[in-house]
Amino acid sequence: MENHKILIAIPIILALLSLVLIGFHGLEQGVDLKGGSQAELQLLDSVTPSELEDILDAKLNTQNIKVTNNGNNKVTVELENNINSSTFTSAIDGKAKVISYNEIGPVLSEEAMGQIYIAMLFAFIFMAVTVFIVFREPVPSVAIILAALCDILIALGGMSIFKIPLSIASVGALLMLIGYSVDTDILLTTRLLKRREGTVEERAKNAMYTGLTMSFAAIAAMAILFIVTKLIMPEATTLSNISAVLVIGLIGDILSTWLMNLGILKTYIDWRQSKKQDKFNVRSSSAKPEQESKSSKEENSSDEKKSKLSLKDKLKKKTEVEDDEIMSKIQEELEKIDNMEESEELEIQEKSSSKKSKKQKSGKKVNKRKAKKQKGKGGK
């Protein structure tokens, strides 16, 4: 992921090379697009397709005669020029039996090409609108469209190299390729932009595992179809052309999705994060003087609180001192009262003891008097 900006250039270079190749080498067009004649024949007298091609070339004086072996002694003959059926029948001279014969004029071919252009244009327009509605961001939408365009150009370049004709069937394969490309690109864009779990690299790896599994499965299926049609059913040229175009386009889709589109999205996410960081820094810098003013206000308020607290402490200390003085005075008065009560109790005790002693003395005198009386009585 560190060299993602360099990887963006690889699919773009391949697409540009495909354009150059198409410009110099050109694209072979099928009869259904460029016009001409097409016939399906049943071979007779053990004539080979190559021998039939030589016979037609010698008798019709036309160029680009293509004879395709369909198996079971059946062939398809494509002629670039429009030749009427009677001339063609006389040219084969009993070497083959005509099953079907079609002439395609230039008007129909031009109309077909116009419809193909319109179909491709609307496919890209609707794809772009759908992607923009889903993601609401221009950069991912443009990246998906650019990836699909690179897929189409790489597929056309492969068709030019391997001489796969541009026909109605191959155009259908190109439209299918747009669908494959959009699937993997939307998968990648959704994982990177919509989900939040894990880092960007982890989300990209998870999307790559899923997307590559889809792409390799489709490539394997199309490759098997191509091999089967070439070896077992050579008459199914339409299926072989479709499968060949899809294999080339899906290989290009792997490059355009996981090199170019991933690189564009990674660059876009980094730019968006840096922009958010810049906004955060600006807000933090603007918030510093406010924080300083708040801190100064807090300091002033704290000083006022401290001064208020100091006054309260002083008042408390004064009240505590006064309370101590009052309590000491009260304790002194209480001690005086206690002393007076103790002295009164002592006086009372002394008085009571003196009274008891007097009573005892008086009692002793009474006893002495009684004893004297008793003695006097006994003497008598």
Side-chain angles (χ1 to χ4, degrees):
M1 293 292 288
E2 295 179 355
N3 298 324
H4 57 276
K5 293 182 180 179
I6 299 173
L7 299 177
I8 295 172
I10 296 175
I12 295 175
I13 292 171
L14 289 176
L16 294 175
L17 289 175
S18 298
L19 280 175
V20 173
L21 184 62
I22 294 169
F24 283 98
H25 193 265
L27 275 173
E28 183 180 350
Q29 291 184 349
V31 175
D32 51 355
L33 294 182
K34 68 181 178 180
S37 302
Q38 187 175 24
E40 186 176 356
L41 306 177
Q42 177 72 48
L43 297 178
L44 301 174
D45 297 332
S46 65
V47 178
T48 63
S50 59
E51 291 175 353
L52 180 64
E53 185 175 351
D54 294 335
I55 293 170
L56 293 174
D57 191 11
K59 291 185 177 183
L60 295 177
N61 294 321
T62 183
Q63 295 178 351
N64 297 326
I65 298 175
K66 184 179 180 181
V67 179
T68 304
N69 187 4
N70 298 332
N72 296 325
N73 288 329
K74 292 182 180 180
V75 295
T76 299
V77 179
E78 293 181 357
L79 305 173
E80 185 174 342
N81 300 328
N82 287 327
I83 299 172
N84 57 42
S85 59
S86 59
T87 305
F88 182 79
T89 303
S90 63
I92 59 176
D93 193 18
K95 301 293 183 181
K97 180 181 178 181
V98 178
I99 299 174
S100 64
Y101 189 82
N102 297 317
E103 295 182 20
I104 301 171
V107 176
L108 292 176
S109 63
E110 289 178 2
E111 185 178 352
M113 287 300 297
Q115 291 176 355
I116 288 170
Y117 294 147
I118 293 172
M120 297 292 288
L121 179 62
F122 274 98
F124 273 95
I125 290 173
F126 286 124
M127 178 187 65
V129 172
T130 304
V131 170
F132 185 77
I133 290 172
V134 171
F135 295 103
R136 302 294 178 88
E137 296 183 39
V139 174
S141 303
V142 173
I144 292 173
I145 295 168
L146 185 61
L149 181 61
C150 288
D151 292 346
I152 298 298
L153 292 176
I154 292 172
L156 290 174
M159 291 171 64
S160 178
I161 292 173
F162 297 106
K163 295 183 179 181
I164 300 171
L166 182 64
S167 60
I168 300 297
S170 59
V171 170
L174 293 175
L175 294 174
M176 291 171 63
L177 185 60
I178 294 175
Y180 279 114
S181 174
V182 171
D183 283 342
T184 53
D185 290 323
I186 288 179
L187 169 68
L188 174 62
T189 308
T190 303
R191 293 286 179 89
L192 292 185
L193 297 182
K194 296 293 184 180
R195 295 191 179 182
R196 293 292 179 267
E197 64 274 9
T199 61
V200 177
E201 288 77 11
E202 291 175 352
R203 297 199 297 269
K205 287 180 181 178
N206 292 331
M208 186 178 292
Y209 294 149
T210 306
L212 289 177
T213 302
M214 294 167 54
S215 297
F216 284 127
I219 289 171
M222 292 299 107
I224 292 171
L225 178 62
F226 180 77
I227 294 170
V228 169
T229 53
K230 283 295 184 182
L231 297 179
I232 300 174
M233 296 184 296
E235 68 276 8
T237 55
T238 301
L239 292 177
S240 62
N241 291 336
I242 290 174
S243 59
V245 172
L246 286 176
V247 168
I248 297 169
L250 288 171
I251 293 172
D253 178 61
I254 292 174
L255 299 176
S256 61
T257 300
W258 306 110
L259 296 183
M260 183 183 67
N261 196 6
L262 179 57
I264 292 172
L265 290 176
K266 181 65 170 60
T267 305
Y268 174 69
I269 292 171
D270 292 340
W271 172 79
R272 194 169 62 176
Q273 289 177 351
S274 64
K275 192 175 180 181
K276 288 181 180 179
Q277 186 66 32
D278 293 337
K279 286 183 180 179
F280 177 76
N281 293 331
V282 170
R283 288 178 183 176
S284 62
S285 62
S286 62
K288 280 182 180 179
E290 294 179 357
Q291 291 177 355
E292 290 177 355
S293 62
K294 287 181 181 179
S295 62
S296 62
K297 289 179 181 179
E298 289 176 355
E299 288 177 357
N300 294 327
S301 62
S302 63
D303 292 335
E304 291 177 357
K305 288 179 181 179
K306 286 179 181 179
S307 61
K308 289 179 182 179
L309 290 172
S310 61
L311 290 172
K312 287 182 180 179
D313 293 335
K314 289 179 181 179
L315 291 172
K316 283 182 180 180
K317 287 180 181 179
K318 286 182 180 180
T319 52
E320 287 176 358
V321 171
E322 292 176 356
D323 291 338
D324 292 336
E325 291 178 354
I326 292 168
M327 290 299 293
S328 63
K329 288 180 181 180
I330 291 170
Q331 287 178 357
E332 289 176 358
E333 293 293 331
L334 290 172
E335 287 177 357
K336 288 180 182 180
I337 291 168
D338 292 334
N339 293 327
M340 290 173 67
E341 288 178 353
E342 289 177 357
S343 61
E344 287 177 358
E345 288 178 357
L346 291 172
E347 289 177 357
I348 292 167
Q349 289 177 359
E350 288 176 356
K351 286 180 181 181
S352 60
S353 61
S354 62
K355 286 180 180 180
K356 286 180 181 180
S357 61
K358 287 179 180 180
K359 285 180 181 180
Q360 289 176 357
K361 287 179 180 182
S362 61
K364 287 179 180 181
K365 289 178 179 181
V366 170
N367 292 326
K368 285 180 179 181
R369 287 176 184 175
K370 287 180 179 181
K372 285 179 179 183
K373 287 179 180 182
Q374 288 176 356
K375 287 180 178 183
K377 289 178 179 181
K380 291 178 177 182

